[in-house]
Amino acid sequence: MQTGLTPAPIDWVLLMPLLIVFGTGVVGMCIEMLRPRSNNNAIVATTLLGLAAAAAYLIGTWEYPTIHTFGELFLSDRVAKILQLLIIAITFTTVLYSEGYLRERRLPFGEYYPLLVWSATGAMIMATSTNLLIVFLGLEVLSISLYILAGLSNREQQSQEAALKYFLLGAFASAFLLYGISLLYGATGTTQMEDLRAIWNTPLDKPTVGLLYAGLTLILVGFAFKVALVPFHMWTPDVYQGAPTSVTGFMAAAAKVGAFAALVRFLDYATPMSDAWVPMLSALAILTMTVGNLVALVQKDVKRILAYSSIAHAGYVLVAVVAYGVLSREGSAAQPVSVVYYLIAYSFMTVGAFAVVSLATRGGRERTELNDLNGLWERAPLPAAMMIVFMASLAGIPLTAGFLGKLLIFRDALDAGLVVLAIALAVNSVISAYYYLRIVLATVVQKPALHAPRFANPNAGLVATCLVCGLAIFALFFAAQPVLRELEAPQEVFVHRGP
Amino acid sequence: MEYISTGHGETLTNPVFHWAWMILLAPLAGFLFQAALDKKIEQALGKAAGRRLLGFFAVLPVALGFVVSVVLAVNLAGLDEHSRLVITAWFNWIDLQTLRVPFELRIDPLSLTMCLIVTGVGSLIHLYATGYMADDRDYPRFFTYFNLFIAFMLMLVMGNNLPLVFIGWEGVGLCSYLLIGFWYEDIENAKAANKAFIVNRIGDWGFALGIFLLYWVYASSQAALPLNETRYLSFDVLLPFAQQVLPEFGPLVVTAVPLLLFVGAVGKSAQWPLYLWLPDAMAGPTPVSALIHAATMVTAGVYLVARTHVFFELAPIAMAVVAGIGAFTALFAATVAFGQTDIKKVLAYSTVSQLGYMFLACGVGAFGAGMFHVTTHAFFKALLFLGSGAVIVAMAHNQDMRNYGNLRKYIPITYATMVVAWLAIAGIPPFAGFWSKDEILSAAFFTQLVQAPQLLWLIGWITAFLTAGYMTRMMMLTFFGQEERWRKGVVGAHAHHDHASTHDNAAHAAHADFSNTEFFLSDEELAAEREHEEAHHHDLTPDHEPKEVSVSMWFPLAVLAVLSLAGGAVLSGLNPFAHLLGAHLPHLFEEWNHPSVGLSVFDPEGAFRKSVAIEWALIAASIGAAICGIAFFVRRYAKGLPESEVELQGVQKLAGEQWLYDKTMVRLFVDIGGKFANAFYRIFDAGVIDGIFVNGSAKLVGAFGLLLRRTQTGLVRFYAFIMAVGVIALLSYVIYVTTR
């Protein structure tokens, strides 16, 4: 651990993507303040450019060695880079279609974009930090922006209610997380993850072990809330339904990626305690998959269906996390390949699906009952066709990334000897096909009622989002090799320990 | 091109062997050309000129393939006898840690023999078809399928690994299906196509299982395969190591491998019990019957057995099964041929019977003799089919021999060539069929591989007599006699199977509905085409005057007649006469092919030399059988159609109905099997699966969902309560773990 006196060497290369994304938000906010009443085109353009620049920087420094820097608060390994890139991609595709949607919803707020970008910054911090406090900081940056975004529609009670619920329960969960961190700190005197591991590996007396286990559990609860694991999921359907659709899509993708990234990293360092968390998380995974899918079956609102679907998918990823935990304990897995692959696949299909759902808006009103999607096929064939792809991928039908992702998780689970989890995953996959097909049916097959509300016009941004997400889903399947190879590649960690 | 090597691992520098890809790619290019441009060319150049061009480009790739095959054969013959195996690989098709399947071609005497037959006979039949199909509405579609067939057939015979062979195998099956159902508007043709496809599934099932079994055996074998060799399904790995690898897995595997492969062969080569599809396959246009259902595709089974002969040689039981099935099929089909009135059906059963001969040869270890018969049979059976096609065209698409008679007067060229083919298949020396058939019969008599080989010989000998008999019947009824029976009235209710352009208006309406041509042709053009078809198509009437066919049709007949006349004698080097008389003429076919298929009866150390007297006796017997068969049936049909055959009766009727085998099979599997499947569907699928599992579980799951939905109250305090419960549960667990 660094003493507070010597300034830690800072490797700016590692932090640049974060800073670029954050700065983009600042610039966007300045533009909004300078010209408050004009349209948002300048902000959108700035945001897209900033995100592209961050992505370009990240790709440009891809081969830059893996470095542990900033007083060992940040670790930019390959998983972190990939997930940061993914978060940028999620934000980019969300921004692409947001403007059209917000105009249609009559929510012309320029602040939307800076908030979105800052939220992404929080997720990126979570993906790259190895210090629990920094992770908490990232979580709060992510969450606070999302609280505001969820309540963006200040005229709608539903949106306000969603924001308030999210805030209250989020605060509740943050308290658990923080309490867990403090218990760990109390037991070990550090919040650095690798120091925790070192201490875990030394002989400990029973009260310390108890403190450590309790701290671990409470930290898991904090993450479980963020990624919406049952029984910490109760907020999800209400918030997803109440928040503006573009925010929901972003929330479902970016927040989960950030939280899962931090969770996997934390568990990686908590491997010695895996005899405690493997059974816990296994139980949560089964519960999450099952409850998510079962309740999704009886929903009538598309956004609620997708909310429960996102809960179920969190369960699938959790299976991958547990399997990775077991495998890395045995020394047979070095990288959480299936976790990262599934997060990538899941993000694109989720953003895409919510983008298509956002079309069910007209003149400030949004209707997202299943049969409100009827007739989308005639109205907007391309997004409707893409909806088939997203649903197929979510259901895990071959030729899509969702299929390969589930296959990887399934394989890992079996390799790790987690047969029950594998079976639960398979059974849940089957159940989930039902409600995904219902969405396809509503979108493509069923004819609209006579006086059904009309859809928003699919603008270029939305079409672009759909195409990018759809292409990504196929590309991840057909060109999976390079992605997987990148994930599996071994790497060496360099530590800046100061002069 | 990745590598080129002999079977012994030496690297060859002769780039000419890379040309093998041309043989394969040329017909493929032809297929793509026809498929993409047919309508455009017909539109741009007009129908007549367009079709001439399309026909030219259909024949060209096949002929080119023949030329290249000849070049390769010359080059290969120039190599040392034991180096006559060249493999050229292009790219890795499947590349896994545990299996590598390159896209690789095998050039050895066996594959080149098949290539020469396929491209040689194939180009002749293509040429013939440009005449035969000239007036068909779907001329371009025909050649699209025809070229595709050639490409798949070449992949089947040239592929150096079982997956490639399987692609070819399925591909020719597909083309066979498409071409049997070429005139799909007639429901009977569509049904025949379906029958062929479905019956072949059984064979392909066996073949696929055989491939899987071989993979499992080779991949898990402890025997010394070359280091890092993962091309477990390539022939140059499979065959040389068979003797070390297979016995490791016990007698069951040793026997199962060849038998599973043989199941595939039985399906494709139409042997009993799966021959059922071949007679129905005659619904396709006659060139299709000649090329696919006589000369090439149906011999794929024989090719497969010959190619993998080392597996068969390891398993005496499998050999006995092959020989037994072959002999039985030969005899069975020959008897059935007597009960046919349709000229093409006679030839179809004849093909089944001759294929039985080939398997008989393989089963007694004479793989070379079997392949020799494949070759000569390709000559004379293609000739017979093409000749019958000429007869059918001359007789206004009536196929019933009871309406023929005295046709030698009207179509002399067809007649002359058909006579050559007749004598060839009957086994009269020096025509081609004699040499190969005699070899097979001798092999059956002398083989040490099975019990009671004399019985096999006897069956073969009786079949030889019957073959001469039914062919004589066909020739007599068609070409000879004084009576021109169609002049006395046409018999047979549904006389024209071959040309399905039905002429009632309803069918025409349907025909227009299904036809794509409407989208490409204007109404006037379409009307003109229809009119033309109607004018062209007419029934056989008493005042019909048969006319000789065009040159593009009789030229292939003539070439095939020359081959049927001299091909056997030249290829066999006049053996067995030559060596019985002490002259050392080389048996060209044997010398060429034995590196691939092993020495058969002409092995100088073999049993064949033991008794010159018996050998002469056997030759005399087989010639005698042929002459007796011909003489007996010439007498019977000299006066024309006997009264008893105007409507078939008694035993002959029974024979014609395949001794009720087809009916029994249909009753057993289609009717009863269908009823069983239906009952199974109602009870198990609709009742148990749908009722209990699918709908039942869906209801159960839905009920749980409804129950769980109740917890979503919308109240923050309740949500927080649930979270707290979760936290307490987890904490209780860790307290339990720590205090344990």
Side-chain angles (χ1 to χ4, degrees):
Chain A
M1 182 142 186
Q2 298 289 324
T3 63
L5 294 174
T6 37
I10 295 170
D11 201 318
W12 291 105
V13 170
L14 186 154
L15 290 177
M16 272 313 271
L18 265 176
L19 295 176
I20 295 174
V21 173
F22 177 76
T24 304
V26 175
V27 174
M29 191 55 98
C30 292
I31 296 174
E32 172 65 18
M33 285 189 293
L34 288 175
R35 27 196 313 236
R37 290 191 182 261
S38 56
N39 68 23
N40 294 332
N41 292 352
I43 305 176
V44 175
T46 315
T47 311
L48 289 178
L49 271 177
L51 290 169
Y57 188 88
L58 203 52
I59 293 167
T61 58
W62 198 258
E63 295 305 326
Y64 198 76
T66 300
I67 277 183
H68 209 171
T69 186
F70 217 114
E72 292 172 51
L73 297 179
F74 289 98
L75 173 73
S76 152
D77 59 357
R78 194 145 310 164
V79 171
K81 281 180 193 162
I82 290 173
L83 290 180
Q84 285 191 333
L85 197 58
L86 175 63
I87 292 163
I88 293 172
I90 293 166
T91 319
F92 192 90
T93 44
T94 305
V95 171
L96 270 181
Y97 79 90
S98 288
E99 186 57 23
Y101 170 71
L102 293 178
R103 281 187 194 169
E104 203 61 57
R105 278 285 311 256
R106 309 278 190 266
L107 299 171
F109 303 119
E111 300 91 328
Y112 171 90
Y113 299 98
L115 285 169
L116 203 67
V117 162
W118 287 333
S119 182
T121 314
M124 286 169 74
I125 293 173
M126 290 180 82
T128 190
S129 175
T130 58
N131 185 297
L132 284 169
L133 273 181
I134 301 296
V135 169
F136 179 72
L137 179 75
L139 184 82
E140 289 305 307
V141 171
L142 168 75
S143 302
I144 290 170
S145 314
L146 283 179
Y147 299 150
I148 303 169
L149 284 171
L152 200 63
S153 176
N154 51 9
R155 288 174 288 112
E156 275 178 79
Q157 201 188 349
Q158 214 182 15
S159 179
Q160 297 298 306
E161 187 188 322
L164 192 62
K165 267 184 191 163
Y166 192 25
F167 172 68
L168 288 174
L169 294 169
F172 194 42
S174 290
F176 283 119
L177 178 64
L178 211 50
Y179 191 26
I181 295 172
S182 70
L183 286 183
L184 287 189
Y185 185 76
T188 62
T190 176
T191 54
Q192 277 293 96
M193 291 184 192
E194 63 268 65
D195 293 344
L196 289 171
R197 172 157 67 180
I199 289 164
W200 270 322
N201 282 335
T202 58
L204 295 168
D205 56 351
K206 212 150 196 179
T208 316
V209 172
L211 270 186
L212 288 174
Y213 274 133
L216 171 88
T217 310
L218 293 179
I219 290 172
L220 291 187
V221 168
F223 289 134
F225 174 83
K226 214 68 232 173
V227 300
L229 299 180
V230 177
F232 312 104
H233 71 293
M234 305 295 283
W235 58 276
T236 317
D238 295 3
V239 174
Y240 277 25
Q241 189 185 14
T245 306
S246 60
V247 176
T248 310
F250 176 78
M251 198 190 309
K256 268 187 207 199
V257 171
F260 263 119
L263 178 65
V264 169
R265 168 140 304 137
F266 174 63
L267 291 178
D268 217 0
Y269 289 109
T271 315
M273 304 180 86
S274 58
D275 54 333
W277 61 257
V278 164
M280 274 199 283
L281 292 185
S282 299
L284 288 188
I286 293 177
L287 208 58
T288 306
M289 290 188 284
T290 314
V291 171
N293 280 318
L294 287 184
V295 185
L297 288 180
V298 292
Q299 299 302 319
K300 295 192 184 67
D301 185 282
V302 182
K303 279 167 86 177
R304 278 185 94 86
I305 294 178
L306 289 176
Y308 281 105
S309 140
S310 87
I311 294 172
H313 280 269
Y316 303 150
V317 179
L318 195 61
V319 174
V321 171
V322 175
Y324 167 63
V326 174
L327 288 174
S328 70
R329 181 173 63 190
E330 294 163 356
S332 52
Q335 305 290 339
V337 176
S338 56
V339 179
V340 177
Y341 183 89
Y342 204 82
L343 285 176
I344 301 173
Y346 166 78
S347 298
F348 283 112
M349 47 213 194
T350 303
V351 172
F354 278 107
V356 179
V357 172
S358 79
L359 280 174
T361 310
R362 187 77 187 171
R365 287 170 61 83
E366 183 175 55
R367 289 163 171 277
T368 52
E369 292 278 301
L370 260 179
N371 49 18
D372 290 327
L373 288 180
N374 293 357
L376 187 64
W377 180 254
E378 279 91 29
R379 190 72 187 78
L382 187 103
M386 283 297 141
M387 193 65 161
I388 303 176
V389 176
F390 302 139
M391 290 304 126
S393 187
L394 283 166
I397 290 168
L399 304 190
T400 61
F403 166 74
L404 189 57
K406 269 192 192 138
L407 191 71
L408 290 174
I409 296 178
F410 194 74
R411 188 197 64 186
D412 280 4
L414 287 182
D415 282 353
L418 303 165
V419 180
V420 178
L421 284 184
I423 292 172
L425 172 66
V427 170
N428 272 292
S429 242
V430 174
I431 297 176
S432 72
Y434 173 73
Y435 56 83
Y436 293 128
L437 288 179
R438 271 175 78 196
I439 296 181
V440 173
L441 188 77
T443 317
V444 178
V445 180
Q446 286 170 345
K447 297 277 169 270
L450 273 179
H451 301 292
R454 297 180 56 213
F455 296 103
N457 285 319
N459 55 22
L462 185 120
V463 170
T465 303
C466 290
L467 282 179
V468 168
C469 293
L471 275 180
I473 285 168
F474 284 122
L476 282 169
F477 180 82
F478 285 104
Q481 280 308 329
V483 179
L484 293 177
R485 212 173 293 137
E486 193 60 38
L487 283 171
E488 281 161 356
Q491 47 186 342
E492 209 180 330
V493 179
F494 296 94
V495 181
H496 269 274
R497 281 213 178 271
Chain B
M1 312 291 147
E2 187 187 305
Y3 60 85
I4 188 163
S5 65
T6 69
H8 301 276
E10 313 142 31
T11 304
L12 276 182
T13 47
N14 191 350
V16 81
F17 290 109
H18 284 317
W19 294 12
W21 292 100
M22 267 163 62
I23 309 179
L24 184 66
L25 294 178
L28 199 62
F31 156 70
L32 292 174
F33 172 79
Q34 304 269 351
L37 297 177
D38 55 354
K39 297 255 159 48
K40 291 198 182 73
I41 288 180
E42 266 199 7
Q43 263 179 342
L45 300 179
K47 197 168 146 186
R51 287 192 169 185
R52 262 199 300 283
L53 187 75
L54 284 172
F56 175 74
F57 279 112
V59 179
L60 183 72
V62 190
L64 182 73
F66 180 68
V67 173
V68 177
S69 300
V70 170
V71 172
L72 288 187
V74 169
N75 273 282
L76 197 68
L79 292 177
D80 165 39
E81 194 172 278
H82 298 290
S83 311
R84 281 187 205 151
L85 163 58
V86 179
I87 296 161
T88 160
W90 189 354
F91 56 89
N92 274 337
W93 174 33
I94 297 172
D95 193 0
L96 302 171
Q97 217 159 25
T98 48
L99 176 66
R100 190 156 71 87
V101 180
F103 209 80
E104 53 184 355
L105 297 187
R106 181 184 184 88
I107 304 145
D108 72 347
L110 180 58
S111 68
L112 274 184
T113 305
M114 291 301 289
C115 279
L116 287 167
I117 296 172
V118 171
T119 54
V121 176
S123 47
L124 288 174
I125 298 177
H126 269 70
L127 179 62
Y128 175 91
T130 58
Y132 191 88
M133 303 300 289
D135 294 319
D136 196 275
R137 191 191 68 204
D138 286 330
Y139 180 92
R141 182 162 65 88
F142 181 84
F143 283 106
T144 310
Y145 296 162
F146 231 35
N147 271 347
L148 183 65
F149 167 78
I150 294 280
F152 276 127
M153 187 69 206
L154 289 168
M155 182 178 285
L156 195 168
V157 298
M158 288 170 67
N160 184 42
N161 50 55
L162 284 170
L164 283 184
V165 171
F166 195 73
I167 297 182
W169 191 271
E170 294 301 317
V172 292
L174 169 71
C175 292
S176 163
Y177 165 81
L178 291 171
L179 285 162
I180 294 169
F182 184 74
W183 290 310
Y184 53 87
E185 285 145 22
D186 186 337
I187 189 75
E188 290 306 316
N189 295 354
K191 278 186 181 165
N194 278 341
K195 188 170 177 181
F197 203 77
I198 292 163
V199 172
N200 263 301
R201 285 316 85 202
I202 304 171
D204 295 351
W205 162 80
F207 187 21
L209 283 187
I211 296 176
F212 300 153
L213 181 61
L214 276 173
Y215 170 71
W216 175 72
V217 164
Y218 275 74
S220 57
S221 162
Q222 306 297 314
L225 291 184
L227 195 66
N228 294 333
E229 183 57 87
T230 51
R231 294 184 304 132
Y232 296 121
L233 293 176
S234 294
F235 287 128
D236 56 317
V237 176
L238 283 174
L239 305 179
F241 296 98
Q243 241 153 358
Q244 290 98 295
V245 173
L246 283 187
E248 215 182 298
F249 293 84
L252 191 66
V253 167
V254 169
T255 310
V257 164
L259 279 182
L260 286 172
L261 295 177
F262 183 59
V263 170
V266 164
K268 192 63 80 196
S269 291
Q271 294 297 286
W272 184 87
L274 299 182
Y275 74 88
L276 293 161
W277 63 273
L278 187 61
D280 290 30
M282 296 302 129
T286 304
V288 173
S289 311
L291 179 63
I292 301 183
H293 304 118
T296 58
M297 183 188 83
V298 289
T299 62
V302 185
Y303 164 78
L304 182 70
V305 172
R307 170 63 80 206
T308 58
H309 67 99
V310 288
F311 297 138
F312 287 83
E313 282 163 355
L314 287 172
I317 299 175
M319 291 293 270
V321 169
V322 174
I325 296 268
F328 177 74
T329 308
L331 180 64
F332 179 86
T335 60
V336 177
F338 280 98
Q340 303 305 319
T341 54
D342 182 327
I343 186 168
K344 281 180 74 180
K345 286 277 167 79
V346 176
L347 294 176
Y349 287 105
S350 162
T351 305
V352 174
S353 171
Q354 297 297 311
L355 289 164
Y357 264 123
M358 299 170 202
F359 282 109
L360 171 61
C362 294
V364 299
F367 299 97
M371 287 310 297
F372 190 27
H373 201 55
V374 167
T375 312
T376 57
H377 178 258
F379 300 155
F380 60 70
K381 188 50 66 65
L383 175 51
L384 282 168
F385 265 115
L386 297 186
S388 79
V391 170
I392 292 166
V393 169
M395 294 304 284
H397 292 282
N398 189 303
Q399 296 178 206
D400 197 321
M401 295 187 297
R402 289 172 297 182
N403 296 325
Y404 297 171
N406 199 24
L407 289 181
R408 67 180 186 280
K409 200 174 104 189
Y410 300 96
I411 44 176
I413 302 174
T414 308
Y415 161 69
T417 56
M418 286 281 270
V419 166
V420 173
W422 165 41
L423 297 175
I425 191 173
I428 302 287
F431 297 93
F434 165 77
W435 309 95
S436 52
K437 196 181 287 185
D438 183 70
E439 237 172 74
I440 293 172
L441 289 177
S442 302
F445 193 87
F446 287 110
T447 186
Q448 309 284 325
L449 285 167
V450 290
Q451 306 280 317
Q454 285 81 3
L455 179 67
L456 290 177
W457 173 83
L458 187 66
I459 297 175
W461 182 75
I462 295 172
T463 308
F465 169 77
L466 293 174
T467 306
Y470 65 72
M471 286 313 299
T472 309
R473 173 174 174 265
M474 186 194 98
M475 293 300 289
M476 292 299 291
L477 289 180
T478 305
F479 291 106
F480 294 97
Q482 296 306 315
E483 49 175 18
E484 298 175 357
R485 283 185 291 278
W486 72 94
R487 300 203 188 279
K488 290 189 253 159
V490 178
V491 299
H494 189 68
H496 50 280
H497 303 290
D498 186 285
H499 206 291
S501 309
T502 40
H503 42 274
D504 53 309
N505 290 331
H508 255 302
H511 159 149
D513 278 343
F514 288 118
S515 157
N516 280 333
T517 49
E518 272 206 325
F519 296 107
F520 298 95
L521 298 178
S522 69
D523 282 351
E524 297 89 70
E525 280 175 306
L526 201 67
E529 193 166 332
R530 255 183 231 167
E531 205 169 284
H532 173 76
E533 236 170 73
E534 268 161 35
H536 171 73
H537 188 79
H538 51 93
D539 263 340
L540 184 60
T541 50
D543 54 357
H544 181 76
E545 289 295 320
K547 281 194 208 67
E548 186 60 273
V549 291
S550 63
V551 61
S552 67
M553 285 173 72
W554 69 251
F555 173 74
L557 294 182
V559 176
L560 287 168
V562 172
L563 289 170
S564 302
L565 177 64
V570 170
L571 287 175
S572 70
L574 296 178
N575 287 304
F577 294 120
H579 87 260
L580 282 174
L581 296 171
H584 290 287
L585 289 176
H587 189 306
L588 292 176
F589 194 85
E590 177 94 14
E591 298 223 329
W592 161 248
N593 239 337
H594 80 81
S596 298
V597 295
L599 288 165
S600 54
V601 282
F602 285 91
D603 181 358
E605 303 300 320
F608 198 75
R609 284 277 170 88
K610 277 182 191 153
S611 169
V612 173
I614 294 183
E615 207 178 325
W616 278 115
L618 288 180
I619 293 172
S622 84
I623 298 174
I627 290 174
C628 286
I630 291 174
F632 185 80
F633 284 93
V634 165
R635 254 180 73 85
R636 178 174 159 84
Y637 293 101
K639 294 204 188 86
L641 190 70
E643 203 53 42
S644 65
E645 290 195 25
V646 176
E647 280 302 322
L648 293 180
Q649 289 156 3
V651 180
Q652 199 179 9
K653 183 161 181 272
L654 202 62
E657 288 168 358
Q658 308 166 42
W659 308 105
L660 301 181
Y661 177 69
D662 190 273
K663 268 192 190 139
T664 317
M665 287 295 118
V666 168
R667 181 104 189 89
L668 208 61
F669 288 105
V670 182
D671 298 349
I672 299 181
K675 280 204 184 94
F676 177 75
N678 218 331
F680 195 78
Y681 160 74
R682 264 185 287 115
I683 296 167
F684 192 74
D685 198 81
V688 178
I689 302 268
D690 280 0
I692 297 176
F693 287 123
V694 177
N695 293 333
S697 63
K699 277 191 191 121
L700 192 73
V701 165
F704 271 116
L706 282 172
L707 206 65
L708 285 169
R709 190 172 67 172
R710 294 254 179 92
T711 60
Q712 205 68 38
T713 54
L715 299 176
V716 177
R717 59 170 185 267
F718 183 71
Y719 293 179
F721 170 71
I722 296 277
M723 278 174 70
V725 170
V727 172
I728 290 166
L730 291 180
L731 279 177
S732 317
Y733 176 75
V734 291
I735 289 167
Y736 164 73
V737 170
T738 2
T739 53
R740 193 173 39 185

